[in-house]
Amino acid sequence: MGIDPNFDRNREQVGEENGVAVWGPVDPPEKLGIHGSHVAVDYDICVADGACLEDCPVDVFTWVETPDHPASERKVEPTREDQCIDCMLCVDICPVDAIDVDASRS
Ligand code: SF4
């Protein structure tokens, strides 16, 4: 199952990391929640495939290390989500549907 596109209604924002909103529940290192608003990545689904980071035309994503997370030991953080042009490439390319993009959440 992929990221919940209604996470902003179904979850609570529990903090911020590098200026990016974090939506709980969070219980590191195993449970890391959803990171981002306009561009949101479910860290508990992300397998660090990296296609989104490589192909995003405006370089929204950066790698962050997540040691001991069961799905992958690094994640793509939507650090520059304010630059997103809503092309939806990352949403379409993610092999595990870990990303949702919605400008109404910015
Ligand atoms: S929708 Fe397009 S511009 Fe926005 S983060 Fe994804 S790949 Fe980048």
Side-chain angles (χ1 to χ4, degrees), residues 3-100:
I3 185 171
D4 174 7
N6 299 314
F7 71 86
D8 56 327
R9 290 195 287 275
N10 296 333
R11 294 175 178 229
E12 281 185 29
Q13 186 178 341
V14 294
E16 242 182 46
E17 195 175 85
N18 303 323
V20 176
V22 179
W23 305 79
V26 168
D27 185 15
E30 293 89 6
K31 193 140 187 68
L32 300 174
I34 290 176
H35 291 230
S37 295
H38 180 162
V39 180
V41 180
D42 192 325
Y43 275 23
D44 295 311
I45 298 174
C46 174
V47 293
D49 173 78
C52 55
L53 182 144
E54 287 164 21
D55 293 353
C56 173
V58 291
D59 294 330
V60 162
F61 301 102
T62 52
W63 287 118
V64 293
E65 301 300 315
T66 58
D68 298 324
H69 187 270
S72 58
E73 300 216 325
R74 61 180 185 166
K75 308 291 177 185
V76 290
E77 181 174 70
T79 314
R80 290 178 289 274
E81 60 181 336
D82 58 322
Q83 301 294 309
C84 176
I85 56 171
D86 302 314
C87 71
M88 298 298 167
L89 185 148
C90 59
V91 173
D92 293 339
I93 209 168
C94 179
V96 289
D97 293 330
I99 306 175
D100 191 59

